[in-house]
Amino acid sequence: MAEQRQERADAARNRRAVLRAAERLVAEHGGDHVSLDRVAAEAGVGKGTVFRRFGSRTGLLRALLEERSLALREAIMDGPPPLGPGAPARERLTAFLDGLCGIAEANAALLTAHEQACADAKYTEPSYLFWHGHIATLVAEARPGLDADFAGFLAHALLAVFDGELVRRTASPEEPRRFTRSVTELALALLDAPAPPRIS
């Protein structure tokens, strides 16, 4: 039993070391310099340890980004309003976008690396599906009577702006949260726009 607990502790410690190593490499050199070999060397573990835990470079970047967004995910599910249940949909949406934009602004290089690694499976990625479902639900609640497919399309449109290069280009020393303000204004404009006519 003691040996099993030690193994679990070692595995958790190695996981943290690998994620911190990947984080440093992304921050210092960009996503192109993140490989399982380099991460293993930086973390001081064997490549097999990284592979067994994360499976691939894509899995490693996904885990790192999911770690960054875990607190936001928990807040929208079980936290107090306006992020959590209980607030009007419009308030929940702007609060959620504020949180998601904050993550993007603080992790633009990681976001770019993740986008490149997951380009072929972006719309089926678990985190993307979760965020998309949350936004689509809030849009539908804020716009009663809106076609469900169109609410889903608006959710895709909002998530499309979460591009690492766009985040970097939008931010400025004078207004570090300009990206957040721009995305919030876009979301409110979409909520206030008239529903499009059906095209037969």
Side-chain angles (χ1 to χ4, degrees):
M1 184 65 70
E3 290 181 0
Q4 291 178 343
R5 284 197 298 268
Q6 183 60 46
E7 287 177 2
R8 287 195 293 269
D10 290 344
R13 184 170 55 253
N14 286 340
R15 184 181 190 277
R16 289 192 298 270
V18 168
L19 289 177
R20 297 293 75 78
E23 181 180 51
R24 289 192 298 273
L25 288 171
V26 170
E28 294 172 6
H29 306 290
D32 291 342
H33 290 266
V34 177
S35 67
L36 297 189
D37 287 321
R38 289 186 177 184
V39 170
E42 179 76 13
V45 301
K47 179 181 177 180
T49 298
V50 181
F51 182 81
R52 285 191 298 273
R53 185 62 186 83
F54 300 100
S56 64
R57 175 176 177 273
T58 299
L60 174 58
L61 293 171
R62 180 185 298 123
L64 188 55
L65 197 58
E66 286 178 350
E67 182 189 60
R68 294 287 176 279
S69 60
L70 179 60
L72 178 62
R73 181 189 288 254
E74 292 175 345
I76 66 175
M77 295 177 67
D78 302 310
L83 271 174
R90 188 185 183 94
E91 292 180 21
R92 290 195 72 194
L93 180 60
T94 55
F96 166 70
L97 290 174
D98 180 81
L100 195 61
C101 287
I103 293 171
E105 288 165 338
N107 298 277
L110 173 59
L111 189 61
T112 296
H114 181 264
E115 290 162 359
Q116 293 170 347
C118 301
D120 293 337
K122 174 180 178 179
Y123 296 107
T124 58
E125 227 247 327
S127 290
Y128 185 93
L129 292 173
F130 182 83
W131 301 135
H132 177 268
H134 184 60
I135 294 175
T137 298
L138 294 178
V139 168
E141 289 179 7
R143 295 282 303 270
L146 193 68
D147 181 81
D149 288 340
F150 188 61
F153 178 80
L154 291 182
H156 283 305
L158 283 172
L159 287 173
V161 304
F162 285 85
D163 173 86
E165 185 58 32
L166 179 61
V167 174
R168 284 190 290 269
R169 287 178 176 271
T170 305
S172 68
E174 296 77 22
E175 190 180 359
R177 298 219 68 192
R178 183 180 168 197
F179 177 74
T180 296
R181 178 177 60 79
S182 300
V183 173
T184 301
E185 290 177 359
L186 173 62
L188 294 177
L190 291 174
L191 288 182
D192 293 335
R198 285 188 173 273
I199 300 175
S200 56

